[in-house]
Amino acid sequence: SIGISMVPDDATEVQDLLRNADAAMYEAKAAGRGAYRFFTGTLNRRALDILSIENALRHAIERREFELHYQPQIDITSGALVGAEALIRWNRPDNGLVMPNVFIPVAEERGLIAAIDEWVIGNACSQLATWRDSNMPTLRIAVNLSSMAFRKKGFAERVAETIQAAGITAHQLEIELTESTMMRDIEAGIRVIKRLHDMGVRLSIDDFGT
């Protein structure tokens, strides 16, 4: 993916040229990767927006500004509540709730998503423990996982530690992987999947067929 900025139309200083080229490259990646884009004034505004979100996200990770909302999962045969899907929201102090489609792409592009994913898994496991202590039926929670977190060294081991720390059973946690995540490095992916499966963690494929 290539971003292009030109002298002197777009900028004359090196740092400005690099920033503009980076904005154009981000646009190329958003278009499906393996493409090129020239810098435009519209991209400059978008680049500033992305930079603003990135800076705010770094503070949000430090200050724990995220929260999880839970979408019920119902057994259609019995009508019983069997679990929930954890949906992340960013409770930004100056903007209120921010939906994931706004900040997740930036977090993925800027290398922040792994820290967010680990926070989600940790809090989802803690919520399961809270429900258990409230004498609710045994439930499971499904969490979406980015490819960056999945490929990070020691991921399965950290999941095991999180489950143990929360005092829940592994089969109560379900990890949703997109098809593209699994296909990026098949051999490494199989090793991680087998490790999670052997632990008892449930696995499902999201966005199947894409």
Side-chain angles (χ1 to χ4, degrees), residues 2-6 10 20-21 24-25 36-40:
I2 301 173
I4 305 165
S5 62
M6 306 288 287
D10 299 327
N20 294 345
M25 183 176 66
Y36 66 90
R37 290 291 184 273
F38 285 89
F39 175 78
T40 65

Side-chain angles (χ1 to χ4, degrees), residues 71-139:
Q71 179 173 284
Q73 294 177 333
I74 307 296
D75 184 320
I76 60 174
T77 302
S78 65
L81 175 68
V82 294
E85 180 174 4
L87 305 172
I88 189 171
R89 299 292 184 265
W90 177 11
N91 195 353
R92 192 171 177 179
D94 53 345
N95 289 78
L97 285 182
V98 182
M99 301 299 284
N101 64 303
V102 174
F103 66 89
I104 291 297
V106 178
E108 290 178 336
E109 183 66 27
R110 303 306 186 185
L112 303 174
I113 193 64
I116 294 175
D117 280 340
E118 290 186 9
W119 179 90
V120 170
I121 292 174
N123 279 265
C125 289
S126 295
Q127 185 62 63
L128 283 168
T130 299
W131 287 340
R132 178 202 60 209
D133 295 342
S134 301
N135 295 320
M136 289 182 65
T138 300
L139 302 173

